[in-house]
Amino acid sequence: MNQLKKLLIIGFVWPEPNSSAAGGRMMQLISIFKQNGFEITFASPALDSDFMVDLSQFEVQKKSIELNNSSFDDFIIELNPDVVLFDRFMIEEQFGWRVSENCPKAIKLLDTEDLHCLRTARQKAFKENRDFELNDLLSEEVAKREIASILRCDLSFIISQFEMKILNDVFKIDPSLLHYLPFLVDEMSENDLVKLPSFEERKNFVFIGNFLHEPNWNTVQYLKETIWPLIKKQFPEAVLEVYGAYPSQKVLQLHQPKNGFFIMGRATDANEIVKNSRVVLAPIRFGAGLKGKLLEAMQCGTPSVTTTIGSEAMHENLPWNGFITDDIQEFATKAISLYEDKNLWKESQKNGITIVNECFQKSKYSDALIERINSLLNDSESHRLHNFMGSLLQHHTLKSTKYMAKWIEAKNKN
């Protein structure tokens, strides 16, 4: 297909690559589509933010849209995209039926970001002080919505192999509806490490994460109350700097300089901060997807200590760029070892490069993605014919969601 293809991305928020891994992920997708000749429009019902990326710099058209408003129908009919990408299932719920009704031939893609039902079920199990089990997912309300959204779309991007397995084994989703697509970054070499600050030039432990994301807030609490006192006891001069966008008053209250625990707020340049830190601490206790902060640490040549959940689906059993442990005492001991032992630190740094190249190299995944989308563009009818559950859901959702949205729109006018 040689003509310029039109892609409409409908975003949950405007991309903020410096605030969250989700923003970085979106810019990676935009880059791949741009490189493959797509004309891109990015639309969102979200309010503009001070930290959103300037889409015009990437030759992407920006369009503000409204929820439950038929003005979207006029907009999409005029745009007439070949492909529509929904950013998270909640956006597909709101706009999917309008896309299907007004542009029935458009290929519908869903970027799940992570499985929200997995994150929610794990968080619930954690708060109830019990072990998470895969069967918990089957009773999770959000799972019903999320799986329905995946079934209604032609293809869903899944960021984690663990989540691919859940979708196949627990929810019995046909593999033809799923496409594994991790974070996508450039290849690294050991020469890249030479350009980075050395062991001696770096100082302090660091944690970085968007505080609107509950697992990050929980991690900082856990660090402050449980892990940091253990590190401080063995290593009195230790300093931890905690960075993150959108810190609440609760987060700011944890700032305790006399104890070496600093809440630094939003990072103006996360990359620079991680590059100049010696060790990343990420004792993450629940969540889903992949952890952008840990991939960023590898790219910055900064070893990390994390948990099983933190490292999940990130390293294909390759040696970690530091340590993985769920034991708090071991976590503290390993963090100090990494901080003080230059040889261990350098070996961990090299492990990070291997993981980046083996698991996240852009060239390894981008061509396969475009091939899959072109295949759908060439033969969407056959693909949809074999997705009976999707068409069944499409049929009923179109009616129920459509009339609920029209009722809300009529109500808003009164």
Side-chain angles (χ1 to χ4, degrees), residues 207-224:
F207 172 83
I208 197 157
N210 184 328
F211 287 110
L212 296 179
H213 192 55
E214 180 68 21
N216 287 335
W217 160 234
N218 180 271
T219 298
V220 173
Q221 284 178 296
Y222 189 39
L223 273 166
K224 177 72 166 62

Side-chain angles (χ1 to χ4, degrees), residues 113-125:
E113 295 285 0
D114 62 19
L115 277 186
H116 291 58
C117 60
L118 176 61
R119 177 154 35 100
T120 306
R122 276 180 167 161
Q123 186 171 334
K124 198 174 284 182

Side-chain angles (χ1 to χ4, degrees), residues 88-90 93 110 112-126 130 132-150 158 162-168 170-173 178 213 215 286-289 309 312:
R88 291 168 255 207
F89 78 90
M90 303 84 83
E93 284 181 329
L110 172 66
T112 55
E113 295 285 0
D114 62 19
L115 277 186
H116 291 58
C117 60
L118 176 61
R119 177 154 35 100
T120 306
R122 276 180 167 161
Q123 186 171 334
K124 198 174 284 182
F126 171 79
R130 60 179 175 80
F132 163 76
E133 295 177 6
L134 286 176
N135 278 346
D136 292 346
L137 294 167
L138 297 171
S139 57
E140 195 54 56
E141 184 67 28
V142 75
K144 298 175 177 68
R145 294 170 57 198
E146 193 163 25
I147 298 305
S149 184
I150 287 170
I158 312 301
F162 180 66
E163 294 180 4
M164 287 286 279
K165 189 167 168 51
I166 284 174
L167 291 167
N168 286 320
V170 178
F171 294 111
K172 314 298 182 195
I173 303 290
L178 307 175
H213 192 55
F286 55 84
I309 292 271
E312 180 179 273

Side-chain angles (χ1 to χ4, degrees), residues 371-391:
E371 276 175 34
R372 193 94 189 257
I373 291 166
N374 281 336
S375 168
L376 282 171
L377 284 164
N378 291 328
D379 194 15
S380 60
E381 282 185 28
S382 170
H383 178 81
R384 288 173 176 176
L385 186 66
H386 289 93
N387 180 16
F388 180 75
M389 292 304 290
S391 58

Side-chain angles (χ1 to χ4, degrees), residues 280-284 291 294 304-312 320-326 331:
V280 167
L281 300 181
I284 297 159
K291 310 301 174 284
L294 294 175
S304 64
V305 189
T306 190
T307 54
T308 309
I309 292 271
S311 66
E312 180 179 273
W320 189 249
N321 74 318
F323 294 99
I324 299 164
T325 177
D326 297 318
F331 194 102

